[in-house]
Amino acid sequence: MKNIKICMKVCILIFTALICLVKTDIIKDAVSDALGRCLNIIIPSLYAMMIISPLLIKSGITGIISKFTGNTGKILFGMERIVFPIFIFSMFAGYPVGTKMICSAYENGLIEKRRAEIFCGLCFGAGSAFIFGCVSGQLYGSISAGNIIFISSVSANIILAFAVSVFMRKKCNSQKNTAEIKLSADMLTDCVISGGRSMADICFMVIAFAVVIEIMNYFGITSALSALFSEITELSGKESEQLVRSIMDVTAVNGFTYGNYKLLPYLSSLVSFGGICVIFQISAVVSGKLSVKPLIIMRIASSVISFFICKIITPFMLSDETVLTSSLNVRTYQAHSPVPSVMLIIMTFMLFCEYEKMKKQE
């Protein structure tokens, strides 16, 4: 059985290499499109948070915040004091940020491994920058649509946290946090370099998945899956195909039809799940320190909950917003210049090189 799996992996790898060699035009377009999303969407939305999140843990700021929140997290969700602020912060910060903070807390001995793996599935959110700027801003030009998606995702996380709390309360560590704030230039530099490495991992994963999606499309796998989704949903063939692409990589949601409000529950579900690419990104962030299996199960459950919450609240939240086809302003989204993101990458790389030189001299 093991040999069969190895043979299958080798065959897939060989086929992928052949497609990359033969169909260079489609691979080039896929990589170019993914690189554009990295420069215009992912880096501007996540880079700052990827630096701040480990800094909040290492500096002890989350420990100080936990003193003010007290046992709120334990009473409501069976969470340790330090986890509750991370849980709240992660839903506004972006997908890998919560996981990065939980991983930092685990590395610093503040959370047990098994509990850290479960909390990674809870401390998970697209973040307001992605939801309002890259989903509702591009597809609806409406704050109401963004609010619906955000509320659905956050509500799903809270419901999931209540469900998991039945098991988490039993082994919750109630020890008081005695953290003190410690900030230094070296700590900031470490976090900047760590954030740069994490952003590189995320962007490379997005580009790799763009190639995988294009190869799937070439072999007709995307079409087959989209036909299946068309049968079980009310979506058209084109919308189902875009749904498949977005399940693979959530940043591909910008390919959906502009102004189609019937897509909101599906978008909420996608945003709550995060996509397979995000799961691989998180796997890169934890670097084998934590298992992502509990996270996958919890995100699937969260996506289902988010879908039905969105179905319920959409009529109420859009009751004052009339959408007329004749007055719908369909426009092509034009991203900001990628130059700032490119400059940011160059400066981070320069900082990394200088920091390595300083460490060798010491």
Side-chain angles (χ1 to χ4, degrees), residues 217-243:
N217 189 51
Y218 176 76
F219 281 108
I221 299 173
T222 305
S223 299
L225 290 173
S226 62
L228 178 63
F229 277 112
S230 292
E231 290 181 4
I232 61 177
T233 66
E234 69 271 22
L235 300 179
S236 65
K238 185 179 179 181
E239 289 169 341
S240 296
E241 184 176 340
Q242 195 59 44
L243 179 65

Side-chain angles (χ1 to χ4, degrees), residues 50-273:
M50 294 301 287
I51 296 171
I52 293 171
S53 57
L55 191 61
L56 289 172
I57 296 291
K58 291 181 180 181
S59 64
I61 292 175
T62 49
I64 298 299
I65 295 173
S66 67
K67 290 182 179 180
F68 293 98
T69 57
N71 291 322
T72 305
K74 181 182 178 182
I75 294 168
L76 293 176
F77 307 113
M79 294 178 177
E80 284 82 354
R81 286 192 169 196
I82 196 169
V83 175
F84 184 63
I86 297 174
F87 174 65
I88 300 299
F89 182 73
S90 64
M91 290 188 285
F92 298 86
Y95 289 120
V97 174
T99 301
K100 192 169 179 64
M101 294 179 75
I102 291 293
C103 193
S104 296
Y106 165 68
E107 289 173 344
N108 285 279
L110 301 175
I111 316 173
E112 294 178 3
K113 183 178 181 180
R114 185 60 180 171
R115 293 177 68 83
E117 291 171 349
I118 295 173
F119 287 139
C120 283
L122 293 174
C123 301
F124 186 101
S128 54
F130 180 77
I131 291 174
F132 290 95
C134 306
V135 183
S136 65
Q138 293 187 41
L139 297 179
Y140 299 100
S142 165
I143 296 176
S144 298
N147 287 335
I148 290 170
I149 295 171
F150 185 77
I151 291 170
S152 300
S153 301
V154 170
S155 300
N157 274 356
I158 292 172
I159 291 171
L160 196 61
F162 274 120
V164 174
S165 67
V166 176
F167 309 99
M168 302 301 284
R169 294 179 193 279
K170 298 176 182 179
K171 294 184 179 181
C172 180
N173 184 7
S174 59
Q175 184 178 1
K176 292 186 178 181
N177 196 297
T178 57
E180 296 181 357
I181 295 179
K182 297 177 182 179
L183 285 170
S184 65
D186 287 342
M187 187 183 295
L188 177 60
T189 304
D190 282 335
C191 290
V192 170
I193 292 172
S194 174
R197 285 172 175 163
S198 298
M199 283 308 309
D201 291 339
I202 290 169
C203 290
F204 289 145
M205 196 66 70
V206 168
I207 295 170
F209 260 78
V211 174
V212 171
I213 293 170
E214 209 55 51
I215 292 173
M216 287 173 59
N217 189 51
Y218 176 76
F219 281 108
I221 299 173
T222 305
S223 299
L225 290 173
S226 62
L228 178 63
F229 277 112
S230 292
E231 290 181 4
I232 61 177
T233 66
E234 69 271 22
L235 300 179
S236 65
K238 185 179 179 181
E239 289 169 341
S240 296
E241 184 176 340
Q242 195 59 44
L243 179 65
V244 173
R245 289 176 175 270
S246 300
I247 290 172
M248 294 293 293
D249 181 5
V250 74
T251 61
V253 294
N254 59 357
F256 279 108
T257 308
Y258 184 90
N260 189 349
Y261 280 86
K262 77 173 183 179
L263 293 173
L264 271 176
Y266 297 97
L267 290 171
S268 296
S269 181
L270 285 169
V271 167
S272 187
F273 175 57

